Amino acid sequence: MIDVKQHMMEHDHFARLLGMNIEVAEKGRSRVSMPLRRELCNGVGVAHGGAIFALADVAFGAAANSGQENAVVTMSSNIVYLQPGRVSPLVAEALVVRQGQHLGQYEVSVRDGAGTLVARCQSGGFVTDFRLDGK
């Protein structure tokens, strides 16, 4: 098995562009943080919904791909924005709800640096036939 945390930080250029840090990546769970920079805020000065969703998606990917030989990709996602994200950093935690042979379901919560629950996301993943190690 590959180290998903290291693999994603080396190969996920979008996550690096946004300044994300995969703090925990274990089979079925992850924790990913992202500084809330001015460039990631919307016109009213709070976290942009797209930045929040990107963080939730990376957290899902880290949790879903940990412990897998084949890559898991997002099949579907549903996000509900609950409160504005105002305080840096934003932190997403993903947990597996159900993992089958080909399909998995995950719940992701996103909080800001003050602990405010900013969003909840449900993501479904599909286990592909692409090996994570490139072999």
Side-chain angles (χ1 to χ4, degrees):
M1 296 289 158
I2 69 165
D3 180 344
V4 168
K5 178 179 171 181
Q6 179 182 344
H7 181 79
M8 287 182 70
M9 292 315 303
E10 287 177 11
H11 299 284
D12 191 331
H13 304 289
F14 184 65
R16 285 200 338 250
L17 176 71
L18 296 181
M20 292 184 198
N21 178 40
I22 300 172
E23 298 173 4
V24 175
E26 300 171 352
K27 185 173 178 73
R29 91 186 246 304
S30 73
R31 177 182 165 98
V32 181
S33 62
M34 178 177 68
L36 185 54
R37 303 185 322 257
R38 182 181 64 179
E39 297 85 3
L40 300 178
C41 292
N42 62 22
V44 295
V46 297
H48 192 286
I52 295 167
F53 181 81
L55 178 63
D57 191 53
V58 169
F60 155 74
N65 281 288
S66 291
Q68 295 283 345
E69 289 186 8
N70 289 3
V72 177
V73 295
T74 306
M75 186 175 61
S76 65
S77 283
N78 178 48
I79 193 164
V80 177
Y81 299 98
L82 301 166
Q83 292 285 330
R86 300 177 189 275
V87 179
S88 187
L90 297 177
V91 178
E93 293 187 275
L95 291 171
V96 66
V97 174
R98 182 186 182 284
Q99 182 63 55
Q101 185 175 356
H102 297 287
L103 303 175
Q105 188 67 34
Y106 289 75
E107 290 185 357
V108 184
S109 61
V110 179
R111 296 182 183 276
D112 72 5
T116 302
L117 182 60
V118 173
R120 287 193 185 262
C121 181
Q122 294 181 332
S123 293
F126 178 76
V127 180
T128 69
D129 57 358
F130 301 111
R131 289 182 53 97
L132 285 168
D133 61 11
K135 295 180 183 175

